[in-house]
């Protein structure tokens, strides 16, 4: 799973912030590499508990568990992009709210037969599920979550938010090393400016569907957060599927920016070549989703 995260200044979470949140930020026990395992653990726990929970990080009566406040990623001063000050930057996992949003999407898009099968197996009605999901979303600090995630691939428009030279690469000792990482980190101001420019360029040349729609949605999402935030694009668990030589020479960010430049200059030949390279590179990873 790959991630697009926003880390907000601690002061953006209230004046003063919740004491449990402050303590979690000071402890900073959850690492970026452990976040995926934590999410998986919370998911599994919600299903094996008797009775099972509709959403992870939720108590039996439907209220949010304390972990919704304390499960946070924290950037220390050395990891913060310049110009954001010395205040801790915090990214809540918000697994309960993210799961609720996914559930609402499922209820809207799933085939009726599949939806009814899922509801019957859980002994719940559609109205009850929607009510519980809405309650989980309304209890969030923000009307949007701090983390967007996808499985098996990375949406290419996300690379417009970062610059290739902002790359952070750690190969570690192999594919299953928890320290293994490929990510990019930038300031909110830079991310907003880049996505706005990319959206305008793509919409004017390719139309308002596909990549342009993703860029527009991402731009609106970024506007929901504090201007002094940091934005992180992280390959997450995808790095476990890519061999060292390929990961080390990954040029996706460069090629996406090359596509944007080709759109500016009208270089159709270069544009086609870059699209072909990206389709071949990511097609193999995306194909694994169909086999799982």
């Amino acid at each position: 799973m790959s991630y697009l995260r926003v880390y907000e200044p601690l002061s953006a979470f209230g004046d003063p912030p919740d004491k449990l949140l402050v303590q979690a930020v000071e402890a900073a026990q959850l690492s970026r590499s452990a976040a995926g395992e934590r999410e998986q653990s919370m998911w599994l726990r919600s299903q094996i508990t008797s009775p099972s929970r509709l959403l992870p990080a939720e108590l039996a009566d439907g209220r949010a568990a304390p972990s919704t406040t304390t499960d946070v990623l924290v950037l220390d001063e050395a990891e913060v992009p310049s110009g954001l000050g010395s205040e801790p930057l915090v990214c809540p996992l918000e697994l309960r709210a993210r799961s609720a949003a996914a559930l609402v999407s499922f209820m809207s898009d799933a085939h009726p037969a599949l939806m009814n099968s899922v509801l019957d197996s859980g002994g719940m009605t559609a109205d009850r599920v929607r009510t519980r999901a809405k309650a989980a979303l309304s209890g969030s600090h923000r009307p949007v979550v701090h983390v967007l995630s996808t499985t098996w691939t990375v949406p290419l428009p996300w690379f417009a938010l970062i610059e290739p030279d902002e790359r952070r690469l750690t190969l570690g000792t192999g594919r299953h090393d928890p320290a293994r990482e490929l990510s990019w980190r930038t300031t909110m101001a830079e991310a907003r400016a880049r996505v706005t420019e990319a959206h305008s360029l793509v919409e004017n040349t390719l139309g308002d569907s596909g990549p342009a729609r993703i860029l527009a949605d991402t731009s609106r999402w970024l506007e929901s957060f504090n201007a002094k935030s940091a934005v992180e694009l992280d390959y997450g668990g995808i790095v476990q599927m890519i061999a060292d030589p390929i990961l080390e020479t990954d040029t996706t960010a460069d090629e996406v920016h090359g596509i944007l430049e080709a759109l500016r200059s009208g270089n159709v030949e270069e544009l086609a070549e870059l699209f072909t390279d990206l389709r071949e590179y990511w097609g193999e990873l995306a194909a694994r989703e169909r086999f799982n």
Side-chain angles (χ1 to χ4, degrees):
M1 186 170 286
S2 62
Y3 303 92
L4 189 61
R5 303 186 181 101
V6 169
Y7 294 77
E8 287 194 285
L10 179 58
S11 59
F13 292 88
D15 185 19
D18 186 287
K19 289 183 179 179
L20 285 177
L21 175 60
V22 173
Q23 292 171 1
V25 170
E26 291 174 347
Q29 292 183 333
L30 187 63
S31 67
R32 182 205 59 81
S33 60
E37 293 180 4
R38 174 63 175 169
E39 292 182 4
Q40 183 181 45
S41 172
M42 295 296 287
W43 264 108
L44 292 175
R45 194 179 305 170
S46 71
Q47 297 306 302
I48 64 175
T49 301
S50 183
S52 63
R53 307 288 192 260
L54 176 64
L55 300 169
E58 187 172 79
L59 302 177
D61 60 6
R63 290 181 297 125
S67 61
T68 57
T69 300
T70 58
D71 277 347
V72 295
L73 294 173
V74 183
L75 294 184
D76 62 37
E77 191 172 344
E79 298 177 305
V80 175
S82 60
L84 294 183
S86 58
E87 188 177 357
L89 294 180
V90 184
C91 177
L93 294 191
E94 296 169 325
L95 185 57
R96 179 171 178 257
R98 288 163 55 203
S99 301
L103 186 57
V104 169
S105 178
F106 170 79
M107 297 290 288
S108 300
D109 301 335
H111 188 281
L114 175 60
M115 183 176 70
N116 291 333
S117 176
V118 172
L119 292 174
D120 291 343
S121 66
M124 303 191 76
T125 65
D127 286 343
R128 186 183 177 197
V129 168
R130 290 191 179 97
T131 299
R132 292 275 295 275
K134 183 178 179 180
L137 289 169
S138 63
S140 300
H141 165 68
R142 294 257 184 223
V144 294
V145 294
H146 288 72
V147 182
L148 303 180
S149 60
T150 63
T151 54
W152 302 104
T153 188
V154 182
L156 296 180
W158 284 3
F159 288 94
L161 278 64
I162 53 87
E163 282 292 326
D165 61 7
E166 292 169 335
R167 185 172 82 155
R168 301 159 53 87
L169 174 65
T170 301
L171 294 176
T173 57
R175 295 191 189 187
H176 300 293
D177 188 335
R180 191 175 179 84
E181 173 186 4
L182 181 55
S183 66
W184 294 258
R185 197 174 289 152
T186 192
T187 65
M188 177 62 75
E190 291 284 2
R192 286 176 177 171
R194 291 165 184 164
V195 75
T196 297
E197 194 263 348
H199 174 253
S200 176
L201 178 62
V202 172
E203 186 178 45
N204 290 336
T205 53
L206 300 179
D208 59 2
S209 62
R213 185 170 58 250
I214 295 175
L215 289 167
D217 291 343
T218 305
S219 180
R220 285 191 292 269
W221 177 67
L222 293 176
E223 290 296 332
S224 301
F225 300 104
N226 188 284
K228 290 291 186 180
S229 302
V231 179
E232 178 181 68
L233 172 57
D234 182 8
Y235 272 30
I238 289 178
V239 296
Q240 298 175 352
M241 300 186 290
I242 305 175
D244 283 9
I246 299 175
L247 190 64
E248 194 169 19
T249 57
D250 182 291
T251 57
T252 302
D254 302 85
E255 290 176 53
V256 169
H257 281 265
I259 287 173
L260 293 174
E261 184 56 41
L263 289 174
R264 290 188 193 97
S265 62
N267 190 333
V268 177
E269 191 172 305
E270 182 181 4
L271 187 63
E273 183 178 343
L274 289 168
F275 268 123
T276 299
D277 291 343
L278 286 173
R279 185 168 58 249
E280 291 177 354
Y281 180 73
W282 287 101
E284 181 182 350
L285 288 174
R288 300 189 188 192
E289 183 175 13
R290 295 193 294 271
F291 298 125
N292 284 271

